[in-house]
Amino acid sequence: MMGLLLHGRGLILSLIFLLVKLSRAEIPLSVQQVPTIIKQSYVQVAFPFDEYFQIECEAKGNPEPKFSWTKDGKHFDLSDPRIIVSNNSGTFKIPNEGHISHFQGKYRCFASNRLGTAISEEIEFIVPGVPKFPKEKIEPLDVEEGDSIVLPCNPPKGLPPLHIYWMNIELEHIEQDERVYMSQKGDLYFANVEEKDSRNDYCCFAAFPKLRTIVQKMPMKLTVNSLKHANDSSSSTEISSKANSIKQRKPKLLLPPAESGSASTMTVLKGETLLLECFAEGLPTPQVEWSKLGSELPKGRETKENYGKTLKIENISYHDKGNYRCTANNLLGKASHDFHIIVQEPPHWKKKPQSAVYSTGSNGILLCEAEGEPQPTIKWKVNGFPIENHPFPGDVMFPREISFTNLQPNHTAVYQCEASNIHGTILASANIDVVDVVPLIQTKNEENYATVVGYSAFLHCEYFASPKATVIWEVADEAHPLEGHRYHTHENGTLEIYRTTEEDAGSYSCWVDNAMGKAVITANLDIRNATKLKISPKNPRIPKSHVLELHCESQCDSHLKHSLKLSWSKDGEVFEMNGTEDGRIVIDGANLTISNISVEDQGIYSCSAQTALDSISEKTQVTVLGVPDPPGNLLLSERQNRSVRLSWEAGDDHNSNISEYIIEFEGNREEPGKWQELTRVQGVETEAVLSLAPYVRYQFRVIAVNEVGRSYASLPSDHHETPPAAPDKNPQNIRVQASQPKEMIIKWEPLKSMEQNGPGLEYKVSWKPQGAPEEWEEETVTNHTLRVMTPTVYAPYDVQVQAINQLGSGPEPQPVTLYSGEDYPSTAPVIHSVDVMNSTLVKVTWSSIPKETVHGLLKGYQINWWKTKSLLDGRTHPKEVNILRFSGQRNSGMVPSLDAFSEYHLTVLAYNSKGAGPESEPYIFRTPEGVPEQPSFLKVIKVDKDTATLSWGLPKKLNGNLTGYLLQYQIINDTYEIGELNEVNVTTPSKSSWHLSNLNATTKYKFYLKACTSKGCGKPISEESVTLGEGKYAGLYDDISTQGWFIGLMCAIALLTLILLTICFVKRNKGGKYSVKEKEDLHPDPEVQSAKDETFGEYSDSDEKPLKGSLRSLNRNMQPTESADSLVEYGEGDHSIFNEDGSFIGAYTGAKEKGSVESNGSSTATFPLRA
């Protein structure tokens, strides 16, 4: 829960723990009170590398306290010039100037005013000395092999902790093992020495980390001598063996030392770590074991270190006290020692005395209880002196409590309780202040607060009052207290309004009243709208490796938008602000994107919104889907000749239910090693009865399928082999392959290897003429084809094929009807008529040939035609045959795409599967005239202010005798609005140009030209141009070359061109470079240049631009003399002039003239439009 405190115009956050504090405010400094220690030092170590050492003591009180110190129980003079005292506190500094050891000791701080004295806890100032090993001469040590020895370290005293190391002069650690051990005091013990232990540089190092100091003891020399009586001629191995046999002995404890006896007592403090060590000399090297008498060692807290020589128990408790035993043993005996462990504890508080404020005449009590082992003793003090020296009438004192009756102002004092035992002393102080004051409200008046709908609001009214006061909250300007379960006043005066609504906004008054008087403040509350969140999509299910996109939509109060912060987290762990460094997770404000999502990304994603007043989180469960794990533990049961039961265990479905299982098999008959699908079962099943084929050695595997995809295949099952059997089926698709007349080549689909059911597969083929009574003819073959000769052409036969293997025959076969081989048709159709439909289309009618002359299955009829001459010029054409086929039994067909005004020859023939028969007699026919194609080009060759001259070329195909041209023109402008269409009939066919007059000056025109025959006019060709303006450009084409200004302009251009060519030549000879544009200018593309030369760029425009104001369709002027019908209704022409769907290609394609003035080179006709 949060509230917002408004100071003027700024907003500050009011923390929760301040809002719900249940005790009254502390006594303000404006009220007289005894001193209170608010800051002090505890243990201060004077490290040699510090500049100074500060011992702190600060206190508050009214009147302001004064400070004094004691050192080791005696007065300490703060006027000592060697120290620096801070103003207005008891803190002082000791400079590190070489005399600091004088200040080592235990200090106490006293803060006093006329009402009492506060005492600090004991402060210890430690001045550590510089640790050093004493200068000494260490005698060399000589021992015999097998003896025990101890190398003492005796480290100097210093500031803990202390770390001890045994190393050689090259700072290499002395290896420790079961035979060699360093004790807790730092001495190095040898259970028995070996010759390899001889060395002259055993060094003990003592490290003091806090002092940043390591000191070294003088090196020690140890010499291990072989036994004197060993035979000199013996090998070293023999010598060692003899020495060992002489020196062998039972264990003897070196730790604890012999003077400790068989048992010792150790005291350890509760919570600390107990370390017990036990080391024994002997040969062979003794082994150490630990036990606790009467119970077991504490499990989980005990460890054995240093090859079992040290028992370590952490966090010692009272349950760990008792007797522990270490036992050292070898082959020759054992030795033991008992440790009696006593667990004790320094004093700690059970109940500390609490400071309190009382009014005159009231009663009170101070409690002080401490625990420890031994039990601490309790002593009471007042203002630092024994309480016995300051008795008050009516007060009752016990060791653990003091009771006050009828408190008076002179009871005001600082009471100290001190608890101590042999392990330490602790001190607790309690201030007793007896005052009577009018309530003091410490919260400012007219504070502004804000919260959101549904949250709690906290309005502060912290106060101090003695005697005890009552707090009443009211709505401002209303004279009655707030009542109801939604209002609660805390002990510190704060008003809490539960589950706020918009109606709670307003001003409130806080009244604080006691016997001395009353006080009041006003608080103002604003209510904001709560923040809302929505995550989309909700609980998405995302396939692995896909992209997850989450969006967090937020709504919040307009006053809180500036403080709104969104964050994303997964399973409670917050993402970094911008996602991950590798870019796989990207956070862009309200959007979270995760690429290449994996199973690790699955979890609960939260979008959190935080404002200055509220916070909210919305969660969504992201489920990552993956392909299933492969099934496992495949098991075969119920094995039969034609079936087997297969069972398996499902793998992990990775959050997507398994929809089905695919069962595959691998057999030894068809492509061994290749797996094939056998069947599929529902995803809820984990077993299936499989139908099998005979004579196969099976192995199975299973694949699981879910919505994401397929799993890997399972491991293969055991093998299952089925016995052979007769075939279950016969060949299918029995047919006749194309063959010669009076011949049948019978073919069929052979049985697959899995269908053969056994060895020795053959096929028995039977046939006879259909409907004939004679017996079946038979032949058995091993392949899947048979050639049979027949007496007649295209005769029907009954044919059947049966499968046979070594175990029997397949089922009785069903006969099929096949025909013997076909021959070519022997007669030709007779053409009855050729009807001319238009200039490019005719209809042909013929008679069908007799059935007996087909000699097979009639496929249809074929028309062949070719052009012989043009009727326009009488020129003969070479024979180029066009073909068009009509399938089925029919006697007519349409022949399209003919040339108009031409003579043709045409024949008809029949065809079957074998091929085509003879042609009919040629039929001669002529096509009539048609409309011409569009002129080959149209150019505007000259324009003036009111005239234009046009030139054109003949159409590529005239399609008849040309009668003239139709020239049309109309005004257009840049907005494509059009004027009236004008027409000129050019009746002279040979004319190829026309001069138009009476045109408007400076006007854009569009011209259209059609060629015409007696049948009508063809498609138009168009061009655009602009007439010249009045006067300025008049006669431009006639006399521009004689104008002086034009001659001067041409000379200037020529001179500039010469200069540029000279510069380019010089640059090129010097190896200079010029731009790509200059290269293009020097070497123009011939085709591009030609197009530029032949095109009036400023007058050109696309013929296909639509014209605004058009009232007629572009198709209305199309002449109906040419057919664009598809050849589907005519036949199955296979000539190159037809497309795949039979439609005619190029019937209306216009040829493009190189000299065309069209701006985009298009030859598509654009028809004139009337305004």
Side-chain angles (χ1 to χ4, degrees):
M1 299 179 184
M2 292 188 179
L4 198 67
L5 183 63
L6 300 170
H7 283 293
R9 295 183 179 178
L11 304 179
I12 62 171
L13 192 65
S14 182
L15 301 177
I16 298 171
F17 68 86
L18 289 177
L19 301 176
V20 297
K21 187 171 66 172
L22 299 180
S23 61
R24 285 181 299 171
E26 293 183 2
I27 182 170
L29 270 178
S30 60
V31 178
Q32 290 191 354
Q33 57 190 283
V34 296
T36 303
I37 303 289
I38 56 175
K39 187 177 182 181
Q40 71 156 90
S41 301
Y42 290 93
V43 176
Q44 179 75 24
V45 178
F47 294 112
F49 37 80
D50 289 338
E51 183 180 351
Y52 62 85
F53 313 105
Q54 181 169 284
I55 299 179
E56 293 181 311
C57 180
E58 296 182 12
K60 67 174 183 176
N62 187 0
E64 186 174 334
K66 297 182 179 180
F67 298 90
S68 61
W69 286 85
T70 62
K71 173 177 176 285
D72 297 327
K74 298 179 181 179
H75 175 71
F76 177 71
D77 187 5
L78 290 177
S79 61
D80 190 320
R82 292 173 296 180
I83 64 174
I84 302 171
V85 180
S86 300
N87 294 329
N88 301 320
S89 78
T91 301
F92 63 90
K93 293 180 181 179
I94 305 174
N96 190 358
E97 295 177 349
H99 51 256
I100 56 173
S101 58
H102 171 76
F103 295 98
Q104 178 167 301
K106 295 181 179 181
Y107 293 79
R108 278 195 191 274
C109 172
F110 295 80
S112 304
N113 65 13
R114 62 181 178 79
L115 300 177
T117 301
I119 307 175
S120 72
E121 293 188 48
E122 196 171 64
I123 303 171
E124 184 174 8
F125 182 59
I126 301 172
V127 182
V130 178
K132 293 182 181 179
F133 278 103
K135 292 183 178 181
E136 56 182 336
K137 182 179 181 180
I138 303 176
E139 296 295 332
L141 300 174
D142 286 346
V143 293
E144 290 187 350
E145 186 178 5
D147 287 345
S148 66
I149 195 170
V150 179
L151 302 183
C153 178
N154 298 324
K157 293 183 178 181
L159 186 67
L162 166 65
H163 301 299
I164 300 175
Y165 308 95
W166 281 90
M167 294 185 283
N168 58 24
I169 202 67
E170 295 178 354
L171 301 182
E172 296 172 338
H173 286 273
I174 303 299
E175 185 178 354
Q176 299 183 38
D177 52 23
E178 294 180 345
R179 187 177 60 85
V180 181
Y181 169 71
M182 184 186 75
S183 70
Q184 300 299 314
K185 293 183 178 181
D187 299 335
L188 191 62
Y189 287 78
F190 292 81
N192 50 78
V193 294
E194 297 177 357
E195 196 170 354
K196 67 179 181 179
D197 296 326
S198 294
R199 62 186 317 124
N200 58 5
D201 57 353
Y202 282 95
C203 299
C204 179
F205 291 84
F208 300 89
K210 288 188 176 181
L211 297 176
R212 305 176 190 175
T213 301
I214 299 177
V215 292
Q216 174 191 340
K217 188 180 178 75
M218 295 294 293
M220 286 179 266
K221 180 178 181 180
L222 173 64
T223 302
V224 179
N225 300 312
S226 298
L227 294 180
K228 298 292 190 296
H229 63 269
N231 193 332
D232 292 342
S233 63
S234 301
S235 66
S236 60
T237 304
E238 291 173 342
I239 293 173
S240 177
S241 176
K242 290 178 181 179
N244 287 343
S245 62
I246 295 173
K247 292 289 186 176
Q248 282 187 351
R249 60 196 180 277
K250 68 179 182 178
K252 179 183 177 183
L253 290 175
L254 300 179
L255 283 175
E259 56 267 22
S260 301
S262 60
S264 59
T265 299
M266 180 181 295
T267 299
V268 61
L269 297 182
K270 180 184 176 184
E272 293 186 352
T273 298
L274 172 65
L275 282 173
L276 301 178
E277 57 182 350
C278 207
F279 183 81
E281 61 96 1
L283 191 66
T285 302
Q287 303 294 317
V288 176
E289 295 178 353
W290 292 92
S291 62
K292 183 178 182 183
L293 302 182
S295 63
E296 296 182 354
L297 294 174
K299 292 183 179 180
R301 293 187 294 115
E302 54 86 21
T303 54
K304 300 179 181 67
E305 299 177 348
N306 301 315
Y307 299 93
K309 298 175 181 63
T310 304
L311 175 64
K312 180 179 179 181
I313 301 177
E314 296 179 336
N315 193 20
I316 282 290
S317 67
Y318 288 117
H319 297 291
D320 297 322
K321 65 183 179 180
N323 294 316
Y324 293 80
R325 174 174 292 173
C326 78
T327 303
N329 59 73
N330 64 9
L331 298 175
L332 301 179
K334 62 183 179 179
S336 64
H337 184 88
D338 290 347
F339 297 88
H340 179 62
I341 302 302
I342 299 172
V343 180
Q344 293 187 344
E345 185 179 11
H348 64 273
W349 294 116
K350 184 177 180 182
K351 288 182 182 179
K352 292 175 67 174
Q354 301 296 318
S355 298
V357 178
Y358 297 95
S359 60
T360 302
S362 59
N363 302 326
I365 189 171
L366 284 178
L367 299 177
C368 182
E369 294 184 24
E371 294 180 333
E373 183 64 34
Q375 178 64 39
T377 58
I378 302 293
K379 292 182 179 179
W380 286 95
K381 294 181 180 180
V382 177
N383 296 328
F385 297 96
I387 195 169
E388 293 81 5
N389 299 344
H390 301 276
F392 289 98
D395 293 349
V396 179
M397 291 179 289
F398 296 98
R400 296 186 179 183
E401 69 177 61
I402 301 175
S403 296
F404 303 108
T405 303
N406 191 22
L407 282 162
Q408 298 299 316
N410 60 357
H411 276 89
T412 298
V414 181
Y415 289 75
Q416 290 93 18
C417 177
E418 189 177 70
S420 60
N421 66 9
I422 58 174
H423 301 295
T425 299
I426 56 177
L427 178 71
S429 296
N431 295 351
I432 300 298
D433 290 285
V434 182
V435 294
D436 297 288
V437 294
V438 174
L440 299 174
I441 299 180
Q442 297 169 278
T443 303
K444 290 182 180 179
N445 190 28
E446 292 291 345
E447 288 283 9
N448 297 314
Y449 301 87
T451 190
V452 297
V453 173
Y455 279 63
S456 289
F458 295 87
L459 309 184
H460 297 310
C461 185
E462 294 194 15
Y463 69 95
F464 173 78
S466 180
K468 187 176 181 180
T470 58
V471 178
I472 297 175
W473 280 90
E474 300 174 352
V475 175
D477 301 329
E478 294 184 12
H480 55 83
L482 293 173
E483 295 179 350
H485 64 279
R486 291 198 307 116
Y487 304 101
H488 174 69
T489 303
H490 293 281
E491 284 193 23
N492 67 345
T494 296
L495 170 65
E496 181 177 0
I497 306 175
Y498 300 108
R499 300 182 301 280
T500 55
T501 64
E502 293 181 358
E503 290 72 22
D504 291 321
S507 298
Y508 295 82
S509 297
C510 173
W511 291 89
V512 183
D513 184 8
N514 72 356
M516 305 299 293
K518 63 174 61 177
V520 64
I521 62 168
T522 300
N524 304 309
L525 176 62
D526 281 334
I527 304 296
R528 314 292 194 204
N529 292 323
T531 305
K532 297 179 181 178
L533 291 180
K534 180 182 179 182
I535 296 182
S536 59
K538 192 68 174 177
N539 300 328
R541 294 165 58 83
I542 305 295
K544 185 180 177 182
S545 302
H546 283 219
V547 176
L548 169 66
E549 293 181 343
L550 295 177
H551 175 69
C552 184
E553 182 181 351
S554 61
Q555 294 180 354
C556 76
D557 192 281
S558 59
H559 296 85
L560 302 177
K561 280 188 176 180
H562 70 280
S563 65
L564 176 64
K565 293 182 180 179
L566 296 178
S567 62
W568 287 91
S569 62
K570 173 184 176 287
D571 297 330
E573 185 173 344
V574 179
F575 287 111
E576 294 292 331
M577 184 65 68
N578 297 319
T580 55
E581 292 183 359
D582 59 7
R584 194 179 72 87
I585 300 177
V586 177
I587 296 177
D588 181 13
N591 299 306
L592 169 65
T593 304
I594 303 179
S595 304
N596 192 25
I597 197 167
S598 64
V599 177
E600 288 73 21
D601 296 315
Q602 180 171 287
I604 296 177
Y605 287 75
S606 298
C607 174
S608 299
Q610 179 82 44
T611 69
L613 288 181
D614 67 343
S615 62
I616 187 173
S617 291
E618 183 71 14
K619 298 179 180 179
T620 186
Q621 173 74 50
V622 174
T623 304
V624 178
L625 311 180
V627 296
D629 288 342
N633 296 332
L634 271 62
L635 180 65
L636 296 176
S637 61
E638 301 179 18
R639 299 175 183 246
Q640 305 293 330
N641 291 345
R642 291 293 189 98
S643 68
V644 69
R645 182 179 295 275
L646 173 66
S647 60
W648 60 89
E649 292 180 3
D652 191 338
D653 63 7
H654 292 292
N655 300 318
S656 177
N657 292 335
I658 296 174
S659 57
E660 64 177 353
Y661 290 99
I662 301 174
I663 301 174
E664 295 183 337
F665 75 93
E666 184 267 332
N668 62 335
R669 294 287 175 261
E670 186 174 335
E671 297 185 63
K674 178 181 178 182
W675 290 91
Q676 304 173 65
E677 184 176 323
L678 179 61
T679 187
R680 298 188 179 206
V681 298
Q682 295 293 324
V684 296
E685 304 291 339
T686 55
E687 65 177 17
V689 177
L690 307 178
S691 296
L692 308 177
Y695 197 51
V696 179
R697 189 168 186 262
Y698 284 97
Q699 198 173 21
F700 306 99
R701 69 183 188 183
V702 183
I703 298 172
V705 182
N706 65 9
E707 63 180 294
V708 181
R710 295 185 176 192
S711 71
Y712 289 110
S714 68
L715 294 175
S717 68
D718 295 337
H719 286 91
H720 176 69
E721 191 164 1
T722 55
D728 294 326
K729 62 183 293 187
N730 290 315
Q732 303 294 315
N733 193 19
I734 302 170
R735 63 196 182 279
V736 170
Q737 192 180 36
S739 56
Q740 298 300 318
K742 299 181 181 181
E743 176 187 74
M744 284 194 305
I745 299 178
I746 305 172
K747 283 184 168 288
W748 58 88
E749 292 294 333
L751 295 184
K752 297 179 181 178
S753 60
M754 295 294 293
E755 299 170 340
Q756 296 176 8
N757 289 6
L761 178 69
E762 294 179 325
Y763 301 99
K764 184 174 76 172
V765 185
S766 305
W767 71 92
K768 69 174 182 176
Q770 195 173 59
E774 61 253 32
E775 296 293 327
W776 292 84
E777 295 186 62
E778 296 181 354
E779 188 170 341
T780 302
V781 295
T782 57
N783 57 9
H784 57 284
T785 183
L786 177 64
R787 183 171 180 265
V788 175
M789 300 306 297
T790 63
T792 56
V793 174
Y794 199 63
Y797 281 81
D798 288 333
V799 180
Q800 58 187 25
V801 182
Q802 186 178 31
I804 304 172
N805 65 16
Q806 293 179 4
L807 282 85
S809 302
E812 189 66 27
Q814 295 296 318
V816 297
T817 300
L818 303 178
Y819 287 83
S820 58
E822 298 182 64
D823 205 349
Y824 297 103
S826 58
T827 60
V830 176
I831 299 176
H832 291 313
S833 64
V834 176
D835 299 323
V836 177
M837 310 303 291
N838 57 40
S839 61
T840 62
L841 178 68
V842 297
K843 180 179 181 181
V844 183
T845 306
W846 62 87
S847 63
S848 302
I849 66 172
K851 184 177 181 180
E852 60 273 11
T853 64
V854 176
H855 302 308
L857 178 64
L858 180 67
K859 302 285 285 186
Y861 292 88
Q862 175 179 314
I863 298 177
N864 298 342
W865 76 94
W866 60 96
K867 183 177 179 180
T868 57
K869 66 178 179 181
S870 170
L871 299 179
L872 183 63
D873 55 12
R875 185 164 51 87
T876 303
H877 281 250
K879 185 178 181 179
E880 295 179 1
V881 179
N882 300 286
I883 297 172
L884 186 59
R885 281 189 166 183
F886 300 88
S887 61
Q889 184 64 265
R890 58 188 295 174
N891 55 12
S892 67
M894 307 285 279
V895 178
S897 306
L898 303 175
D899 289 341
F901 209 42
S902 300
E903 181 181 272
Y904 283 90
H905 284 198
L906 180 146
T907 61
V908 181
L909 53 88
Y911 66 95
N912 61 15
S913 299
K914 183 72 174 176
E919 292 185 81
S920 67
E921 287 296 324
Y923 191 99
I924 300 173
F925 67 94
R926 292 181 175 183
T927 56
E929 285 188 83
V931 296
E933 292 183 354
Q934 69 181 24
S936 56
F937 69 90
L938 176 63
K939 292 184 179 179
V940 181
I941 59 175
K942 185 177 181 181
V943 292
D944 210 328
K945 67 175 182 177
D946 58 356
T947 63
T949 303
L950 291 87
S951 175
W952 60 82
L954 285 170
K956 187 175 182 181
K957 285 187 178 182
L958 297 177
N959 293 334
N961 292 310
L962 194 64
T963 60
Y965 297 91
L966 176 63
L967 176 62
Q968 300 170 309
Y969 60 96
Q970 62 189 159
I971 296 174
I972 64 173
N973 56 29
D974 291 336
T975 59
Y976 301 106
E977 294 180 356
I978 59 175
E980 181 182 358
L981 186 66
N982 302 288
E983 294 185 353
V984 176
N985 282 311
V986 182
T987 57
T988 305
S990 60
K991 197 161 184 68
S992 61
S993 63
W994 193 264
H995 183 74
L996 290 173
S997 58
N998 298 322
L999 302 178
N1000 296 335
T1002 323
T1003 303
K1004 189 173 185 180
Y1005 283 87
K1006 189 159 189 174
F1007 305 96
Y1008 312 90
L1009 183 69
K1010 303 178 184 177
C1012 303
T1013 65
S1014 60
K1015 292 293 185 179
C1017 297
K1019 296 179 181 179
I1021 185 171
S1022 67
E1023 178 60 295
E1024 295 177 6
S1025 184
V1026 180
T1027 56
L1028 301 181
E1030 290 285 346
K1032 185 176 180 181
Y1033 299 106
L1036 177 64
Y1037 291 98
D1038 294 331
D1039 57 356
I1040 189 171
S1041 61
T1042 63
Q1043 301 295 316
W1045 65 268
F1046 178 78
I1047 295 172
L1049 177 63
M1050 291 297 102
C1051 292
I1053 293 174
L1055 179 61
L1056 182 60
T1057 303
L1058 181 62
I1059 294 172
L1060 290 174
L1061 288 174
T1062 304
I1063 293 172
C1064 292
F1065 181 79
V1066 172
K1067 288 180 67 178
R1068 186 166 186 175
N1069 286 344
K1070 290 183 178 182
K1073 298 181 181 179
Y1074 47 87
S1075 68
V1076 175
K1077 180 65 173 65
E1078 292 173 336
K1079 290 184 179 180
E1080 293 175 349
D1081 293 341
L1082 290 172
H1083 306 284
D1085 188 300
E1087 295 183 7
V1088 174
Q1089 190 64 36
S1090 175
K1092 290 180 180 178
D1093 293 341
E1094 297 176 5
T1095 304
F1096 293 95
E1098 62 270 35
Y1099 301 137
S1100 300
D1101 200 357
S1102 172
D1103 287 339
E1104 299 192 45
K1105 289 183 179 178
L1107 300 180
K1108 291 185 180 178
S1110 174
L1111 302 176
R1112 302 176 62 187
S1113 168
L1114 290 180
N1115 294 324
R1116 291 199 177 174
N1117 286 347
M1118 180 178 288
Q1119 299 295 329
T1121 57
E1122 294 184 7
S1123 173
D1125 294 338
S1126 170
L1127 288 180
V1128 172
E1129 65 178 284
Y1130 307 139
E1132 301 171 334
D1134 57 359
H1135 196 271
S1136 61
I1137 66 171
F1138 300 105
N1139 204 346
E1140 292 179 357
D1141 62 355
S1143 59
F1144 183 61
I1145 300 175
Y1148 305 116
T1149 303
K1152 203 184 296 182
E1153 177 71 21
K1154 186 173 182 179
S1156 171
V1157 297
E1158 293 170 330
S1159 63
N1160 61 357
S1162 171
S1163 62
T1164 304
T1166 304
F1167 295 91
L1169 302 175
R1170 299 190 184 273

